[in-house]
Amino acid sequence: FVVGGNHEGLNTEAYYNTFNSPTYYFEYGNALFIVLNSMLGQSVSYTDSTQYHWMEDVLAKNTLPNVYVLNHVVTRDDYQTDHNMTDAEADTFEGILSGYKTAHPNYSVNVLFGHMHCLHSWQVGGVNYIVTGNGASKFYVSHEQGDILGTGTIAIKNGKASFGFDPLLT
């Protein structure tokens, strides 16, 4: 499954012709996956202003206990590399998901990002945020800060989803 990013925004017609819509969702086992489009302007709303309303509609209908939201651009950049959304948009993004988690305390809500090409995570309002864009050998942070090349994985076992990371080299 593909998550469009800023480089795909350079030729959105080619992206649409190859992969169809960059905004979609699907269910797998007991997990809901929501994919957002932030190809333009490091912004979900600038790229397509209807996406947050659409995501709220998808979440309102969800009955699956594991929720993953995938988006290229991160809500925060703890390394000051300017690869993040604006603070106002990050508040909108995180506010929707924190509100959803509050209403569904037994659900696991996770967000996977790329864009910064590092391994980094934090939590807001019970929602886990994970930067896992490590498939490219293009890094914005030092090795000590998480520029580890590898692959992020999601495993669903006994009804619980968990995120893992397999480094290319150990």
Side-chain angles (χ1 to χ4, degrees):
F1 297 96
V2 178
V3 178
N6 55 304
H7 295 279
E8 289 74 25
L10 299 174
N11 188 343
T12 56
E13 184 178 341
Y15 183 93
Y16 279 87
N17 289 339
T18 305
F19 301 111
N20 294 313
S21 176
T23 306
Y24 59 96
Y25 75 94
F26 63 95
E27 297 174 353
Y28 181 79
N30 64 358
L32 170 69
F33 292 83
I34 299 172
V35 181
L36 299 174
N37 178 4
S38 58
M39 288 185 201
L40 303 174
Q42 294 196 152
S43 170
V44 172
S45 59
Y46 179 80
T47 301
D48 177 352
S49 62
T50 66
Q51 290 183 90
Y52 289 125
H53 179 71
W54 171 81
M55 180 173 68
E56 288 175 313
D57 286 346
V58 171
L59 289 170
K61 297 172 188 166
N62 179 50
T63 59
L64 300 173
N66 295 296
V67 175
Y68 284 89
V69 177
L70 291 77
N71 187 61
H72 187 66
V73 176
V74 300
T75 54
R76 70 171 58 178
D77 177 357
D78 292 328
Y79 305 109
Q80 289 75 48
T81 67
D82 294 325
H83 286 86
N84 55 297
M85 302 174 179
T86 65
D87 290 343
E89 182 163 13
D91 288 345
T92 298
F93 189 108
E94 292 176 349
I96 290 169
L97 294 175
S98 293
Y100 182 77
K101 175 64 177 170
T102 298
H104 301 86
N106 295 326
Y107 284 18
S108 171
V109 182
N110 306 275
V111 179
L112 302 176
F113 298 116
H115 201 40
M116 287 192 53
H117 305 276
C118 67
L119 186 60
H120 185 56
S121 63
W122 63 92
Q123 194 175 79
V124 175
V127 177
N128 300 306
Y129 292 85
I130 304 165
V131 181
T132 179
N134 298 70
S137 58
K138 178 180 184 180
F139 302 112
Y140 301 112
V141 301
S142 69
H143 182 66
E144 292 75 29
Q145 292 173 314
D147 76 344
I148 304 164
L149 191 59
T151 305
T153 61
I154 299 170
I156 300 174
K157 184 176 181 181
N158 298 326
K160 294 287 184 184
S162 61
F163 175 78
F165 182 75
D166 296 326
L168 181 63
L169 301 172
T170 57

